[in-house]
Amino acid sequence: MQNDQLALAQTRGSVDPRVKRPLPAWVSTTALLLPTYGWLTLAVFLPLLTMLAFSFMSATPMGKTPVEFTLKQYRAFIDQPYLLRIGFNSLMMGFWTTLFCAILGFLAAVALVRATVGKTREALLVLILLPFWTNGLVRVFSWTMVLRENGFLDNLLHMVAPDAGSISILYTRYAVVLGLVHGYLPYMILTCYIALVTIDDAIIEAAASLGARWWTILYKILIPMAAPGLISGAVLIFIPVIGSFMEPRILGGRVGVTMGTVIEDQFTQAFNWPLGASLSFTLLAVVLAIFATFSGILRRGTAG
Amino acid sequence: MTNVKVKSVAKTYGPIPVLTDISTEFEEGSFTSLLGPSGSGKTTLLRIIAGFIKPDEGIIMIGNNDVTNVPVWGRNIGMMFQSYALFPHMTIAQNVAFGLERRGIKGEAARKEVDRALEMVRLSGFGDRTPKQLSGGQQQRVALARAIVIKPSVLLLDEPLSALDRRLRQEMQVELLRIQRESGLTTIFVTHDQEEALTLSDKVAILDRGRIVQIGEPETVYERPLTRFAAEFLGDSNFLSGKVENGAVRLSNGTVVRSDSALPGNGADVTLAIRPEKMSLATADSQPNRLSARITTVIYAGPVLSYILETPDGLPLKLFAQNRDGRVLREGETVSLSWSPEHTIAVAN
Amino acid sequence: MKQIGRFYLIAILVFLYTPIIVMMAMGFNESPLYELPFTFSTRWYEALLANQPLLKAGANSIIIALTTAVIATTLGTMASVALSRRTFRGRSLLQILLLPPIAIPWLITGTAMLIFFYWSGIGRGMHALLIGHVALAIPYVVLVVGTGFKTVRADLEEAAMSLGSTPVHAFFSVTLPLLYPSILGAALFAFAVSLDQFVISYFLATPGYTTLPVQIYSAIRKGFTPEINAISTLLLLGSMAAILIFARFAKPGDTRDKR
């Protein structure tokens, strides 16, 4: 150290003559990562493991009933056949929502790419995505204003046809799907847009100059190009939709019974946590299976 | 000003050795180029000297100090990067003052130093601009000013000119050399451009697969390459291989070639390197070493003519000739080549 | 064709915004039963000022969102430094582990948190909400700041170190000022994520400690009143503002001179 100081003094002088040795890289890397992953462990990973354990219990271990380990919670689908029907309804709700989002969103992405440029396109994208980042609950609530009896839609109809009867599609499955499509459409537009924006105009012009009709361009160029976006959009919509509970509750009323609302009930009304846990885990298994199937496409589709 | 010593430095990444047993000295005030293809370890060696990478083995000395365990920020080095690495959120003056500030030099004293450094790189009056407002060449000169204003013990340059276009690059070479001479800084310069290395350096070190295969003055390295790789990487070479026979070399086609190099004993395999410009088309007063070959391609480049030839037994050869009498040989002609034993260098494979 | 395309996009925007605008308008309608004709009134906004539980929930939401933004941005930025600038074994695994909070339906995460927090004695309430919200916001922060890192060359820090900066000084004097738009963007994002979070809050809130979305949900389930419209409008405008400011700050590749 003495030497260090002398030699460096001849030049400009060391920055700090007592230069400390740096910590080994792994120490600082660990220190940087530990808070985040510690937090995620506490808030996400341990809870999921605990829920897994709960799903094998015979009763909520908070009451007086003795608790045993059992598989009966997972037999609920056999013991209570109505759960199967609800599960099927949830899947159908996911299917229709995803399908409508795919059609509307794909066309919107095509329109964005083909019919707009520059600042207009940027502004439209921001406008389309803006609702997506606002409160979902509030957006669902806003549909009740439109769909309810004597609501916006009803009044609009009566302006056109004063004699028509009152329409109210609030508290129907249509209302639920409508609300869900409204909520998730921006996602599909975004993923399809990312996939399509790379298409060179020249490809389409070349195809058109070769005599391709618009449907040929659609089937041979646009849909294949948008496929990764369509698939990742579909996965990212289907998954939250089959787990949704507040949209069916608010827009579906009594007909809006889904896996999501059944699970919610187990935790807030029935206090049957093990059943809720096993249903949650069944749902999670479906989610993971979907992710596993499409993981390759998802990675590419969302990379942009 | 100080010298830099590297002793038995080795570095591996996983199973791949990047540097193997490197020992060399960079003399005080000298300009040394580390020359080699990508993957030869030249950049790794520079970064080890800088302190960004810790060698697995060996020590680094700057002056009389063992700095092997001193981190970058304690080594008092000046460094220029391939990208200019100027801080985009600071003005030119702030960029140059950055290192001074770290050394506790502030205010008026710092301002004077910055002005002097900017003057040295001919950018006086640019202090208030931002890097974005400067051209590539100007940014590079700011980077140089920033590196030398701290009066570093050693100046390390990591291919700093490779992002510039040809003309600017030649200008910067002259500039760099002038500033290096004026400041007398021990300079280590990484490049893959052989011409740049030859023009700028007091010494050239040629690296091949993690080893320094030869280090010396540019002239020595060029005229007396020690290995086939050095002969090939720095400039062009023709290679002839054969067996030693009575102090000369007999090629596989029977031709006997004389060399002034020290040759191994009778019967040993040996490779000879001959620079294409050292060969000439045979005339009456030609050199003792001769080969006949057929011209396959003629490249006419104005002052210099390049001939690509092939011997009857299929050996490819190159010959550079001064375009002195305007006579150009035709493709397909068979000619006789000759060269001197002095320019016939025995190289290790 | 272009005309059809533009017309279609306008139709999509009408679909997206009509319910929101109708909802907002109804908050300014005099009638408690949403009866038309429309009579402009601010009575529901005035009523908000007297609605103590709602105001308290609103204050809770903002406090939670601010705290979440600060904690998640700090932790997420730290992790992002390691994930973006260091190479180590298991890095890609750690990156994958950021996905569950985003990708698993909140219903599952929320119920899992409820079970674990109850069982482990952490319980419900403000601290539980905070733990949950921060966990949801961290992955977004890491992603946003990670994108920012791609625009800041790694050799800038090396240049600073060669000039005498310790890694810590190099980070604070060079990287952080250049990363600042991304970090600010990430903080706004975390704020918006927390402010809008309903599902997790719903399971972790207690009768004495709720947030605005939870309060709105229970109000909706009791029956619609224009007061809900009023508070919803405020919440919507709040998060829209946060997102628009975010979009302004976190433009990728943005390296404008900040001086």
Side-chain angles (χ1 to χ4, degrees):
Chain A
M1 272 303 150
Q2 201 58 40
N3 270 340
D4 245 294
Q5 284 180 40
L6 279 174
L8 294 172
Q10 287 164 10
T11 59
R12 178 64 80 184
S14 164
V15 179
D16 175 359
R18 294 153 283 118
V19 172
K20 279 170 272 172
R21 278 200 204 181
L23 288 170
W26 69 267
V27 174
S28 54
T29 303
T30 311
L32 287 169
L33 292 168
L34 203 59
T36 282
Y37 287 92
W39 199 292
L40 289 182
T41 305
L42 179 72
V44 178
F45 304 129
L46 283 178
L48 287 174
L49 286 176
T50 314
M51 187 158 79
L52 183 64
F54 264 65
S55 71
F56 292 107
M57 290 178 184
S58 59
T60 315
M62 253 75 90
K64 291 211 173 83
T65 357
V67 173
E68 294 164 12
F69 282 88
T70 166
L71 282 173
K72 94 168 182 197
Q73 308 299 354
Y74 286 93
R75 274 210 331 265
F77 282 102
I78 302 159
D79 296 344
Q80 291 147 286
Y82 78 96
L83 279 178
L84 265 186
R85 206 187 65 239
I86 291 168
F88 180 74
N89 283 345
S90 298
L91 290 179
M92 287 316 284
M93 181 175 75
F95 171 76
W96 288 113
T97 304
T98 308
L99 184 69
F100 284 124
C101 283
I103 295 168
L104 294 174
F106 168 74
L107 291 176
V110 171
L112 269 176
V113 173
R114 302 292 305 150
T116 67
V117 284
K119 284 250 152 53
T120 322
R121 183 190 287 188
E122 251 174 58
L124 280 169
L125 260 179
V126 169
L127 277 177
I128 288 170
L129 292 176
L130 193 55
F132 189 69
W133 289 111
T134 61
N135 196 294
L137 177 67
V138 168
R139 274 179 296 144
V140 170
F141 167 67
S142 66
W143 274 104
T144 65
M145 297 290 108
V146 175
L147 300 178
R148 62 196 281 273
E149 204 172 329
N150 199 21
F152 180 73
L153 203 64
D154 209 359
N155 277 294
L156 207 63
L157 181 73
H158 285 126
M159 271 188 348
V160 186
D163 301 330
S166 160
I167 52 157
S168 167
I169 61 163
L170 188 61
Y171 305 133
T172 63
R173 296 226 177 98
Y174 305 110
V176 176
V177 172
L178 189 63
L180 287 166
V181 169
H182 181 251
Y184 291 100
L185 180 59
Y187 224 144
M188 185 63 88
I189 298 179
L190 182 66
T191 55
C192 285
Y193 172 77
I194 289 169
L196 284 174
V197 78
T198 53
I199 295 189
D200 196 341
D201 273 358
I203 297 175
I204 290 166
E205 273 150 29
S209 74
L210 293 171
R213 299 294 184 84
W214 67 267
W215 62 82
T216 318
I217 292 174
L218 187 67
Y219 282 108
K220 296 268 160 139
I221 300 173
L222 293 178
I223 291 182
M225 290 278 303
L230 276 167
I231 292 171
S232 48
V235 169
L236 296 174
I237 290 170
F238 190 77
I239 284 171
V241 166
I242 58 171
S244 63
F245 73 93
M246 118 314 241
E247 294 91 342
R249 275 255 197 265
I250 296 173
L251 296 174
R254 223 165 295 129
V255 301
V257 181
T258 61
M259 282 308 278
T261 63
V262 171
I263 292 172
E264 183 206 349
D265 279 340
Q266 303 313 312
F267 287 96
T268 58
Q269 313 287 326
F271 207 61
N272 188 350
W273 289 12
L275 177 60
S278 74
L279 294 177
S280 272
F281 251 87
T282 312
L283 196 60
L284 185 59
V286 174
V287 168
L288 291 180
I290 295 170
F291 270 128
T293 313
F294 295 106
S295 66
I297 294 162
L298 280 180
R299 216 169 295 141
R300 270 173 281 132
T302 51
Chain B
M1 272 139 284
T2 29
N3 61 348
V4 174
K5 275 183 233 143
V6 174
K7 289 182 190 161
S8 322
V9 161
K11 179 76 193 170
T12 47
Y13 285 126
I16 305 148
V18 184
L19 290 176
T20 317
D21 193 23
I22 301 271
S23 292
T24 189
E25 184 180 342
F26 302 92
E27 282 157 30
E28 194 171 314
S30 69
F31 192 119
T32 309
S33 290
L34 303 179
L35 183 65
S38 57
S40 59
K42 57 187 193 300
T43 301
T44 307
L45 179 57
L46 189 82
R47 291 174 68 79
I48 284 176
I49 296 169
F52 288 119
I53 302 175
K54 214 172 141 55
D56 298 336
E57 284 167 42
I59 50 176
I60 309 293
M61 306 268 292
I62 296 181
N64 293 321
N65 305 297
D66 178 353
V67 295
T68 317
N69 290 314
V70 178
V72 192
W73 55 93
R75 289 193 185 187
N76 197 39
I77 52 159
M79 183 137 179
M80 267 172 92
F81 296 81
Q82 197 167 1
S83 72
Y84 316 115
L86 296 182
F87 307 130
H89 58 301
M90 298 181 189
T91 63
I92 299 308
Q94 286 167 333
N95 262 282
V96 178
F98 190 93
L100 294 173
E101 213 169 286
R102 292 305 292 159
R103 285 156 177 77
I105 302 164
K106 291 186 178 119
E108 189 60 18
R111 211 183 52 77
K112 269 189 190 152
E113 297 275 354
V114 169
D115 286 349
R116 216 166 49 210
L118 285 177
E119 197 180 329
M120 201 166 190
V121 298
R122 298 172 205 259
L123 281 177
S124 294
F126 282 69
D128 290 332
R129 304 205 190 175
T130 58
K132 266 198 172 165
Q133 297 169 307
L134 266 54
S135 72
Q138 289 172 328
Q139 291 189 31
Q140 197 54 278
R141 283 188 278 164
V142 175
L144 182 58
R146 186 177 68 176
I148 59 174
V149 76
I150 57 173
K151 300 205 166 59
S153 314
V154 52
L155 183 61
L156 304 175
L157 312 172
D158 185 5
E159 305 205 28
L161 308 183
S162 61
L164 301 175
D165 66 40
R166 220 176 84 93
R167 201 183 54 79
L168 215 53
R169 198 174 166 140
Q170 285 169 346
E171 248 173 60
M172 270 305 286
Q173 287 177 359
V174 175
E175 200 88 329
L176 192 58
L177 206 56
R178 173 180 66 82
I179 288 166
Q180 195 268 339
R181 292 298 181 232
E182 276 175 30
S183 62
L185 285 169
T186 310
T187 304
I188 305 173
F189 179 74
V190 161
T191 180
H192 59 257
D193 182 328
Q194 38 158 312
E195 203 186 306
E196 200 166 88
L198 291 175
T199 331
L200 292 176
S201 318
D202 299 318
K203 276 192 174 175
V204 175
I206 296 184
L207 277 89
D208 177 28
R209 283 166 294 175
R211 290 172 193 275
I212 294 182
V213 292
Q214 189 168 7
I215 180 165
E217 285 161 23
E219 197 188 311
T220 316
V221 177
Y222 184 79
E223 301 293 343
R224 298 259 164 256
L226 293 177
T227 69
R228 186 186 171 115
F229 176 84
E232 216 168 9
F233 190 75
L234 194 66
D236 263 314
S237 280
N238 291 308
F239 294 104
L240 304 171
S241 46
K243 279 191 193 317
V244 178
E245 198 181 284
N246 305 325
V249 177
R250 184 179 286 278
L251 308 183
S252 52
N253 64 8
T255 314
V256 174
V257 175
R258 303 202 159 274
S259 165
D260 286 356
S261 297
L263 293 173
N266 268 352
D269 287 321
V270 69
T271 301
L272 301 172
I274 306 110
R275 297 286 183 194
E277 72 275 13
K278 302 280 164 44
M279 283 185 162
S280 54
L281 298 164
T283 49
D285 58 342
S286 284
Q287 301 290 346
N289 287 331
R290 275 166 185 272
L291 269 179
S292 81
R294 197 173 56 86
I295 298 172
T296 58
T297 312
V298 180
I299 299 161
Y300 180 86
V304 177
L305 297 167
S306 308
Y307 295 106
I308 307 213
L309 314 103
E310 201 179 84
T311 62
D313 53 324
L315 187 74
L317 292 173
K318 260 178 261 168
L319 183 150
F320 299 154
Q322 289 291 323
N323 185 6
R324 204 167 289 134
D325 46 13
R327 202 169 73 93
V328 181
L329 297 171
R330 299 271 172 80
E331 286 174 14
E333 273 184 63
T334 298
V335 292
S336 181
L337 312 174
S338 79
W339 67 94
S340 137
E342 190 197 339
H343 298 133
T344 311
I345 319 295
V347 294
N349 258 313
Chain C
M1 277 313 262
K2 291 209 165 166
Q3 289 302 318
I4 301 174
R6 283 186 203 133
F7 183 77
Y8 177 73
L9 286 172
I10 290 167
I12 291 283
L13 286 180
V14 168
F15 169 66
L16 288 176
Y17 283 92
T18 302
I20 295 173
I21 291 165
V22 169
M23 186 277 289
M24 286 179 174
M26 284 303 173
F28 290 102
N29 189 11
E30 174 82 34
S31 159
L33 299 168
Y34 304 106
E35 278 163 346
L36 296 176
F38 186 86
T39 321
F40 184 82
S41 158
T42 53
R43 68 180 275 206
W44 304 112
Y45 286 85
E46 284 154 27
L48 277 188
L49 293 175
N51 189 335
Q52 283 305 322
L54 211 54
L55 285 181
K56 192 161 168 265
N60 289 345
S61 274
I62 289 173
I63 291 168
I64 292 261
L66 284 174
T67 319
T68 298
V70 171
I71 298 176
T73 307
T74 311
L75 302 193
T77 302
M78 283 164 66
S80 195
V81 171
L83 291 172
S84 306
R85 283 290 147 88
R86 310 267 173 107
T87 47
F88 50 91
R89 241 187 305 160
R91 190 173 68 160
S92 46
L93 176 73
L94 287 184
Q95 275 165 334
I96 290 169
L97 283 180
L98 290 171
L99 295 177
I102 302 181
I104 296 177
W106 287 333
L107 173 69
I108 299 176
T109 329
T111 52
M113 284 179 189
L114 173 63
I115 292 178
F116 176 69
F117 290 176
Y118 212 96
W119 171 76
S120 65
I122 294 174
R124 297 182 293 166
M126 179 179 181
H127 59 291
L129 278 168
L130 205 55
I131 294 173
H133 283 206
V134 170
L136 291 193
I138 281 179
Y140 291 110
V141 172
V142 176
L143 291 179
V144 172
V145 177
T147 313
F149 259 115
K150 284 182 191 149
T151 67
V152 181
R153 297 187 56 106
D155 54 13
L156 292 182
E157 267 183 53
E158 289 188 345
M161 282 192 257
S162 77
L163 293 167
S165 285
T166 59
V168 175
H169 181 268
F171 178 77
F172 281 101
S173 62
V174 175
T175 309
L176 201 62
L178 294 171
L179 215 53
Y180 144 86
S182 302
I183 292 176
L184 201 63
L188 275 164
F189 211 98
F191 180 83
V193 164
S194 167
L195 193 67
D196 288 337
Q197 178 55 43
F198 158 66
V199 180
I200 296 224
S201 310
Y202 175 59
F203 289 107
L204 299 180
T206 61
Y209 189 91
T210 60
T211 63
L212 204 49
V214 177
Q215 197 69 21
I216 292 174
Y217 182 67
S218 50
I220 292 171
R221 295 198 65 186
K222 271 183 222 145
F224 312 145
T225 73
E227 226 178 307
I228 302 177
N229 296 49
I231 190 71
S232 293
T233 302
L234 293 179
L235 185 57
L236 217 55
L237 293 178
S239 45
M240 280 188 180
I243 289 301
L244 282 178
I245 301 172
F246 162 79
R248 171 107 182 68
F249 272 102
K251 277 216 172 112
D254 182 31
T255 45
R256 274 168 303 145
D257 195 10
K258 288 286 174 286
R259 258 158 216 282

